[in-house]
């Protein structure tokens, strides 16, 4: 069964450093998403991406964040200058067309620890 | 703004007994509702969804959920719980606003099935 994959599974970085989290969505999916889950809190939407551009973003997704689909398979989330409060589990998801009715398939997550 | 409430942090049931995990939502218009399950160190796995039609929807692993518009609820149910059902369960809603595909999640309910 096709699945969303994410690398690395765990990333440790120093405050102020840049990190890139990588995702490979399911191959025939058209919509891509990033969510995050701070320990003990809700899963929160960050951004959605369709047709090589951001279609929606939350208040969390400020100028420190960016997303890119550098090739036909990868989808990345970049945090330019990490802060302590960016420590969280980051989930990538993808869905087929007609995204509203289609379920989103989630990857296993990348645990980001900012020291 | 849309929101989801899962009033119980934890639900405990004996193996073989029926289980219910509660979810209520708030959204303008007709919602798209989803249930996801998260096992330790794993991503979110899709269980089932309600888009339209029959109020009782059936999903993976014997789970079902009942949509109740008047009570704005979407409770997850299973007639006979298994120990392997022990996990964290998330209810999510996607609002009907055109072009918005973000999921809003509840805080999750930890289900423990006692042998």
């Amino acid at each position: 069964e096709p699945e969303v994959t994410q690398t690395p599974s765990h990333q440790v970085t120093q405050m102020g450093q840049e990190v890139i989290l990588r995702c490979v969505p399911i191959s025939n999916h058209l919509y891509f998403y990033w969510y995050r889950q701070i320990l003990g809190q809700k899963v929160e939407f960050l951004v959605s991406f369709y047709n090589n551009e951001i279609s929606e973003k939350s208040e969390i997704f400020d100028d420190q964040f960016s997303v890119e689909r550098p090739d036909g398979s990868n989808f990345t989330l970049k945090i330019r200058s990490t802060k302590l409060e960016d420590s969280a589990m980051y989930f990538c998801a993808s869905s087929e067309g007609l995204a509203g009715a289609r379920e989103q398939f989630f990857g296993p997550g990348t645990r980001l620890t900012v020291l | 703004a849309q929101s989801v409430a899962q009033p119980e942090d934890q639900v405990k049931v004996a193996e073989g007994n029926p289980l219910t995990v509660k979810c209520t939502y708030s959204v303008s218009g007709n919602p798209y509702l989803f249930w996801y399950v998260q096992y330790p160190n794993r991503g979110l796995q899709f269980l089932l969804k309600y888009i339209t039609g029959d109020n009782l929807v059936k999903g993976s692993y014997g789970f079902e959920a009942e949509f109740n518009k008047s009570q704005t609820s979407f409770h997850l149910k299973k007639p006979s719980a298994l120990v392997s059902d022990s996990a964290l369960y998330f209810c999510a809603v996607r609002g009907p606003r055109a072009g918005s595909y973000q999921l809003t999640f509840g805080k999750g309910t930890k289900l423990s099935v006692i042998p």
Side-chain angles (χ1 to χ4, degrees):
Chain A
E1 185 176 327
E3 58 182 17
V4 176
T5 59
Q6 291 185 244
T7 54
S9 56
H10 192 187
Q11 174 90 47
V12 180
T13 189
Q14 295 291 326
M15 189 170 56
Q17 295 296 304
E18 173 184 287
V19 294
I20 297 176
L21 310 183
R22 291 182 167 79
C23 168
V24 178
I26 294 172
S27 61
N28 64 332
H29 285 187
L30 301 176
Y31 294 83
F32 314 114
Y33 315 83
W34 283 101
Y35 292 80
R36 79 173 186 190
Q37 184 181 29
I38 295 172
L39 188 63
Q41 297 186 24
K42 294 183 181 184
V43 176
E44 302 172 290
F45 169 79
L46 293 178
V47 65
S48 61
F49 191 85
Y50 169 69
N51 200 26
N52 281 320
E53 60 183 28
I54 291 173
S55 51
E56 192 174 17
K57 61 182 181 179
S58 71
E59 294 176 352
I60 303 168
F61 194 87
D62 61 22
D63 292 343
Q64 294 298 316
F65 291 88
S66 62
V67 289
E68 190 179 26
R69 189 156 163 80
D71 53 43
S73 59
N74 290 283
F75 179 52
T76 62
L77 174 70
K78 181 191 290 186
I79 308 175
R80 191 166 60 195
S81 178
T82 50
K83 302 176 230 182
L84 295 176
E85 54 265 37
D86 293 327
S87 294
M89 181 73 88
Y90 287 81
F91 293 107
C92 173
S94 68
S95 63
E96 294 180 273
L98 294 177
R102 298 286 189 177
E103 58 271 25
Q104 296 175 20
F105 290 85
F106 284 76
T110 292
R111 181 167 297 285
L112 176 65
T113 302
V114 182
L115 302 176
Chain B
Q2 58 201 42
S3 65
V4 174
Q6 292 181 244
E8 301 153 320
D9 290 336
Q10 186 166 357
V11 170
K12 291 184 180 179
V13 298
E15 187 176 23
N17 281 2
L19 70 87
T20 299
V21 182
K22 295 179 180 177
C23 171
T24 58
Y25 66 90
S26 174
V27 67
S28 300
N30 295 319
Y32 297 150
L33 293 157
F34 303 83
W35 274 101
Y36 285 84
V37 60
Q38 186 180 32
Y39 296 100
N41 301 316
R42 301 283 296 277
L44 301 168
Q45 287 181 243
F46 169 75
L47 278 179
L48 51 78
K49 66 183 178 184
Y50 173 82
I51 304 300
T52 186
D54 194 351
N55 288 344
L56 184 65
V57 294
K58 295 187 183 297
S60 307
Y61 313 119
F63 283 93
E64 56 190 29
E66 187 168 11
F67 171 66
N68 187 318
K69 188 171 184 177
S70 63
Q71 296 185 4
T72 61
S73 66
F74 189 55
H75 300 331
L76 181 70
K77 300 181 180 185
K78 188 173 182 181
S80 178
L82 300 173
V83 172
S84 57
D85 293 329
S86 298
L88 194 54
Y89 290 80
F90 291 95
C91 181
V93 64
R94 200 231 101 178
R97 182 168 66 87
S100 175
Y101 304 128
Q102 65 174 281
L103 292 176
T104 299
F105 285 87
K107 61 182 172 66
T109 298
K110 182 180 179 181
L111 173 67
S112 299
V113 181
I114 314 300

